[in-house]
Amino acid sequence: MPEDPVADALDRIAEQWDNDDPEVLVFRDDEGVNPTVADVDGDLRLLSMNLVQARAIGEDDVRAGWDRYGKPDIVSLSTQSHRFGKRHFEDVADLEGSTA
């Protein structure tokens, strides 16, 4: 059976949120936005330098990021402390209630 690198990466960050320093996926881009995905108690959350609040995402969104940016780095969240910490992933933006 062929390997699924996206599923493997998501498995690696799963069930770590209760750790002091969970691992996250960091997609690198040329603009320095670096979308970052965390698994918060089984829910995938996205933050980047151009988001004010975390967004709930699905596996398809991670796959789209993989296609756009390439394979993400799997790093400890503490390596991103200059950008955000655990608390920033816990509040999710209410996109349904917003008007565009």
Side-chain angles (χ1 to χ4, degrees):
M1 188 150 83
E3 256 185 65
D4 182 348
V6 176
D8 291 344
L10 291 174
D11 284 347
R12 183 157 165 197
I13 68 168
E15 298 180 19
Q16 289 196 28
W17 198 248
D18 290 336
N19 297 347
D20 289 337
D21 193 12
E23 289 186 308
V24 295
L25 305 179
V26 179
F27 291 98
R28 304 292 179 182
D29 67 346
D30 294 335
E31 292 82 38
V33 174
N34 297 338
T36 301
V37 177
D39 184 320
V40 180
D41 297 325
D43 296 322
L44 296 174
R45 307 274 172 85
L46 172 72
L47 266 174
S48 68
M49 294 305 291
N50 62 359
L51 293 176
V52 174
Q53 205 169 12
R55 292 194 179 156
I57 63 168
E59 184 176 327
D60 288 346
D61 299 306
V62 175
R63 290 182 184 282
W66 203 290
D67 291 342
R68 181 175 180 181
Y69 302 112
K71 181 180 178 182
D73 295 329
I74 301 175
V75 300
S76 297
L77 181 57
S78 63
T79 66
Q80 303 302 305
S81 63
H82 61 288
R83 298 170 60 214
F84 30 68
K86 281 181 82 168
R87 67 183 176 87
H88 296 107
F89 284 94
E90 291 174 351
D91 292 327
V92 177
D94 178 13
L95 298 179
E96 290 181 18
S98 66
T99 56

